[in-house]
Amino acid sequence: MRVLLTGSSGWLGRFLAPMLAEQGHDVTGFDIAPGEYTGIVGSVSDRSMVDRAFSNADIDAVIHAGGLHKPDIVRFRARGFVDVNVQGTLNLLEASRATGVDRFIFTSTTSLMISQAMRDEAFGEAVWLDEAHAPLEPRNIYGVTKLAAEQLCRLHFLEHGLNCIVLRPSRFFPEEDDTLRNLCGDNQKANEFLHRRLTVEDAARAHIRALEMAPALGFDTFILSAPTPFMREDTNDLKRDAKAVIERLFPDAVRLFARRGWQLPESISRVYDSSRSQSVLGVRYDTSFSNILTALRESEDLPFATDRSPDCE
Ligand SMILES: NC(=O)c1ccc[n+]([C@@H]2O[C@H](COP(=O)([O-])OP(=O)(O)OC[C@H]3O[C@@H](n4cnc5c(N)ncnc54)[C@H](O)[C@@H]3O)[C@@H](O)[C@H]2O)c1
């Protein structure tokens, strides 16, 4: 297929573009920033640029991964988020419809499921988050604009039959976290694979799977996150004593973590459940918490990207 990939100069795009090419797709990268995989440098909020991209490359399918995301909140005003994430998505949807594109994959975020109360960890047990979670009350402009863009995708399926798959990945960025500062970066990322992280490679592969499945599914929304080892029944214990739950599931985790000077989380306040992405979309995640334990056990490299030295004991 001839695939228009927005965000082709970004972290995900740099993994996804070559993977798509390896699968035989003809990729046109579209990004406001130049990059190895970006053929068109321009903004998705510029309708004439978008139209030109479609007509020049005779596009069959769109993966819309570009846009402003959470780290951009400090750099852009609300208007910028609306222009790029909402108007930009509408431009791409309308151009898709006008040119007969039959599938559209939108990279959304689990962040839009997090209300301020969840962020403040105001509940007595961990919150179990799957695609049925409601009401959605995003706590910042990033989440609000991603939710609006999701709804535009849904509307384009309803009104025009454009097959749209919305993907809500949890974290896959390599940077240090902006909140918890008490653990070293790799330790924290390893912990997050229990309930709120996936590798960028798994995220990219899931996008390709969505591209294949879109015509069969019509419109659907999927959380992408490494498979959690926890069950819904664990939510009380996770909030109260997460370490005990983890030790029950992975008896040598404490020892393996201690060898590296790492700590298991004392309390977990939310869990993303990606089981629908596995059972309905057919996503296979290569990396989960148990792979990390295997790497620690066998003194191998950690199976996830990190932007700082693993030496943070
Ligand atoms: N990284 C994560 O942990 C994470 C988690 C959940 C969802 N997401 C979503 O996944 C997608 C990719 O994330 P990423 O980590 O690769 O982000 P990134 O910032 O590395 O990449 C986003 C790309 O979009 C481009 N872009 C920004 N404004 C644009 C515009 N107006 N027109 C065209 N391109 C524009 C940027 O130049 C950048 O290359 C984003 O939509 C993000 O919201 C990311």
Side-chain angles (χ1 to χ4, degrees):
M1 276 182 279
R2 285 169 300 247
V3 181
L4 183 74
L5 171 65
T6 73
S8 47
S9 304
W11 175 238
L12 175 65
R14 295 198 300 274
F15 285 84
L16 183 48
M19 273 188 204
L20 284 162
E22 266 167 38
Q23 306 268 312
H25 298 293
D26 183 356
V27 184
T28 299
F30 184 141
D31 200 297
I32 199 161
E36 184 182 351
Y37 303 106
T38 298
I40 303 172
V41 177
S43 175
V44 291
S45 57
D46 177 346
R47 180 60 197 260
S48 58
M49 275 298 297
V50 169
D51 286 344
R52 273 207 300 284
F54 277 74
S55 55
N56 291 348
D58 198 13
I59 297 301
D60 301 310
V62 175
I63 300 181
H64 179 28
L68 298 184
H69 77 128
K70 195 176 151 212
D72 294 316
I73 291 177
V74 290
R75 297 193 292 126
F76 291 85
R77 292 192 302 178
R79 180 179 296 277
F81 273 83
V82 173
D83 285 347
V84 175
N85 290 355
V86 185
Q87 185 63 56
T89 303
L90 183 61
N91 288 343
L92 290 160
L93 287 164
E94 287 182 348
S96 297
R97 198 182 118 216
T99 57
V101 162
D102 85 328
R103 59 196 80 183
F104 191 102
I105 313 306
F106 174 56
T107 317
S108 184
T109 173
T110 47
S111 176
L112 62 77
M113 305 170 78
I114 307 306
S115 64
Q116 191 58 51
M118 277 186 229
R119 169 79 178 201
D120 295 341
E121 303 189 0
F123 303 103
E125 58 185 327
V127 183
W128 191 268
L129 291 155
D130 63 15
E131 293 84 354
H133 175 77
L136 293 175
E137 294 172 329
R139 71 186 190 285
N140 57 33
I141 191 67
Y142 172 54
V144 166
T145 53
K146 284 286 191 181
L147 182 56
E150 284 192 359
Q151 292 298 316
L152 290 172
C153 292
R154 186 183 59 79
L155 213 55
H156 268 68
F157 172 69
L158 266 186
E159 293 181 348
H160 309 293
L162 176 60
N163 299 309
C164 287
I165 303 298
V166 170
L167 299 176
R168 290 182 187 161
S170 61
R171 292 172 166 203
F172 56 82
F173 56 74
E175 297 92 355
E176 294 304 290
D177 185 50
D178 57 352
T179 48
L180 298 169
R181 291 274 169 213
N182 54 334
L183 298 180
C184 86
D186 289 344
N187 184 171
Q188 187 168 315
K189 287 186 183 70
N191 289 355
E192 287 173 355
F193 273 88
L194 287 160
H195 62 118
R196 58 176 302 191
R197 179 172 279 277
L198 76 168
T199 62
V200 66
E201 293 89 346
D202 279 338
R205 274 188 289 273
H207 280 70
I208 297 178
R209 184 68 187 156
L211 197 65
E212 294 160 357
M213 293 292 287
L217 294 171
F219 176 81
D220 213 332
T221 302
F222 298 98
I223 289 173
L224 304 179
S225 201
T228 180
F230 305 131
M231 314 275 275
R232 274 176 199 270
E233 304 78 74
D234 294 327
T235 49
N236 254 313
D237 292 343
L238 284 173
K239 183 72 193 250
R240 208 178 28 82
D241 188 358
K243 209 167 142 188
V245 182
I246 299 162
E247 280 191 271
R248 172 165 55 75
L249 294 167
F250 304 101
D252 63 348
V254 171
R255 182 179 57 79
L256 293 170
F257 266 47
R259 225 163 56 182
R260 204 159 174 135
W262 286 4
Q263 293 163 41
L264 289 167
E266 302 289 336
S267 172
I268 285 178
S269 61
R270 73 178 86 135
V271 178
Y272 294 121
D273 176 355
S274 67
S275 46
R276 270 192 88 250
S277 73
Q278 298 166 68
S279 61
V280 179
L281 194 56
V283 174
R284 299 282 165 263
Y285 295 91
D286 279 358
T287 304
S288 64
F289 186 73
S290 55
N291 299 110
I292 293 166
L293 290 186
T294 303
L296 294 178
R297 213 174 279 125
E298 294 171 14
S299 302
E300 290 168 350
D301 288 343
L302 293 169
F304 55 86
T306 179
D307 66 349
R308 57 174 282 178
S309 155
D311 178 24
C312 51
E313 286 91 322

